[in-house]
Amino acid sequence: MNRAIRHVALPGALIGILGALPGQAEAAGKKSQPDAIAAIVTEIRQAEQALRSVRIELATFGSYPADLEMRTSGSLHVLRGAQPRLRTVVRMSYSNGLTATMESLQTADGVTFYKDDPAFGEVFVRVGAAVVADLEWAGEVLDRSDLPGMKDARAAAPLGSAMLESLRREFDLTVATDRTNRGEDEGRWLVGKRRVGLADVAGELPLADRAEIFVRNRDHAVLDVVQYQGDQVLHRIDVTALAVDEQMAPSTFQIDGRGQPLREVDTYVPLWSLIQDVLGKAEAKRRPEDLPADKDPPPETLRPSRRSKKAVPPKETPKAQSPKTPPPKNGGNGKG
């Protein structure tokens, strides 16, 4: 229950759903030599680099401890070029009855998102471009992608190259010779068991022992990823629709606050506190160990917004303030 609430409470939870399945961490040790799967990853990356736009609709399923299941449906619209845009929409439902909705829109001006979840209810928030740049930097330092503004693997690699690269390090994948289609789509099924000796990188999550992935031939897109434990499906990403380089109406990149007032992120304490904590951890990780406490760290070790000759203290989390006392009449001169 707590895990489910944590998952839907954070605005960046969408990144995990659209980017990669739980447990897809890189295997420790040496990287495998180039093989057929690596060649497929390369061809997907080449197709991604040529994209001008992509629309993805998908559904996911996840099975977690304590008989908890999660299902999602969502969409991703990516527009590249002079005015890049990224819009994500996701609806989540849990077997314990919890539900959540989340939308986000990222442009050069920052990230705006709406969410409605059991932990905090409805909120409509804008994260400015400077904070987004800080979060993108912190995400790279800490290898995180769960806050708005951090790099979204699915947006950067919308056809699934990053996801397949992660999976091939976790599973010993080969191209199946007895399956060449998924419904009406022709392509390749990649199948394989978990690599021997792989550490339990998933922690509290159950580990899949084999995986199946479908890559469509005509657009080099990963359309289906299924992870099994025995005969049970643990996790699945099912791309139900994918269109490349189609025209997108301006209304595609609008977000509805459902009547909620738009708030700046530094007035939304739950998220602002989390952001400041993450940025502080990233700076602490980058700070040289032998740097004296009274010395300013090198600019490159600071979040981008603090890279000046002298570090600027981070903005404190806003606190509740008493109402201001109205000014006295007549300028306070004591007259009538």
Side-chain angles (χ1 to χ4, degrees):
M1 179 75 167
N2 289 337
R3 179 178 181 82
I5 291 177
R6 289 200 306 271
H7 192 76
V8 301
L10 298 181
L14 178 61
I15 305 303
I17 295 170
L18 298 182
L21 289 169
Q24 291 175 356
E26 291 187 4
K30 297 181 179 179
K31 296 181 180 180
S32 59
Q33 296 298 316
D35 54 19
I37 308 303
I40 294 174
V41 171
T42 298
E43 73 180 43
I44 297 174
R45 284 177 177 159
Q46 291 172 344
E48 288 169 338
Q49 291 171 0
L51 291 176
R52 297 189 302 274
S53 69
V54 63
R55 171 179 58 86
I56 302 172
E57 298 175 14
L58 72 167
T60 75
F61 168 82
S63 179
Y64 301 93
D67 297 324
L68 181 65
E69 294 181 352
M70 180 184 73
R71 297 179 185 275
T72 79
S73 60
S75 63
L76 179 74
H77 289 79
V78 181
L79 181 65
R80 295 176 175 173
Q83 295 182 321
R85 281 160 164 56
L86 165 65
R87 185 187 176 200
T88 54
V89 179
V90 67
R91 290 166 289 277
M92 294 171 271
S93 62
Y94 291 81
S95 56
N96 58 14
L98 294 178
T99 61
T101 300
M102 199 176 305
E103 292 189 31
S104 69
L105 173 64
Q106 183 161 355
T107 68
D109 295 327
V111 177
T112 302
F113 70 87
Y114 165 87
K115 71 182 180 72
D116 181 8
D117 67 47
F120 297 103
E122 292 185 272
V123 67
F124 191 31
V125 176
R126 190 182 81 90
V127 184
V131 179
V132 169
D134 286 349
L135 284 170
E136 183 173 303
W137 170 80
E140 293 176 353
V141 173
L142 301 175
D143 192 23
R144 288 181 59 170
S145 60
D146 58 341
L147 290 175
M150 290 182 169
K151 285 189 175 179
D152 181 348
R154 188 82 207 201
L159 300 183
S161 65
M163 182 164 52
L164 181 54
E165 175 66 18
S166 177
L167 285 165
R168 82 180 189 92
R169 294 177 178 175
E170 192 171 348
F171 298 92
D172 186 13
L173 299 173
T174 59
V175 179
T177 58
D178 58 341
R179 303 165 66 186
T180 58
N181 67 288
R182 176 184 181 257
E184 297 180 354
D185 293 319
E186 293 189 359
R188 290 153 289 180
W189 281 97
L190 316 180
V191 299
K193 296 181 179 179
R194 174 170 295 278
R195 292 186 181 277
V196 176
L198 186 64
D200 184 356
V201 294
E204 61 185 286
L205 294 175
L207 284 176
D209 50 41
R210 63 187 176 93
E212 298 181 353
I213 302 109
F214 179 77
V215 181
R216 186 163 60 186
N217 285 342
R218 65 179 172 87
D219 51 14
H220 310 286
V222 176
L223 297 188
D224 207 350
V225 177
V226 191
Q227 294 190 32
Y228 296 90
Q229 188 178 72
D231 294 329
Q232 178 188 3
V233 175
L234 282 185
H235 309 292
R236 183 176 188 182
I237 293 179
D238 178 16
V239 175
T240 57
L242 186 147
V244 170
D245 293 341
E246 69 176 7
Q247 290 293 325
M248 294 185 178
S251 59
T252 301
F253 297 101
Q254 296 177 358
I255 185 168
D256 183 6
R258 276 83 159 176
Q260 295 297 310
L262 183 61
R263 305 172 58 175
E264 295 298 321
V265 68
D266 60 1
T267 70
Y268 182 51
V269 177
L271 180 57
W272 187 244
S273 299
L274 180 60
I275 287 173
Q276 293 305 311
D277 179 65
V278 167
L279 295 179
K281 288 179 179 177
E283 289 182 333
K285 185 174 180 179
R286 279 292 178 88
R287 182 184 179 93
E289 294 182 1
D290 57 351
L291 185 70
D294 59 344
K295 297 292 184 180
D296 290 335
E300 65 272 13
T301 68
L302 299 173
R303 67 193 74 172
S305 65
R306 296 180 63 191
R307 291 176 189 175
S308 59
K309 292 183 179 180
K310 188 173 182 180
V312 179
K315 186 175 180 180
E316 293 183 358
T317 299
K319 297 179 181 179
Q321 298 181 353
S322 301
K324 293 183 179 180
T325 303
K329 297 180 179 180
N330 299 325
N333 58 11
K335 297 181 180 181

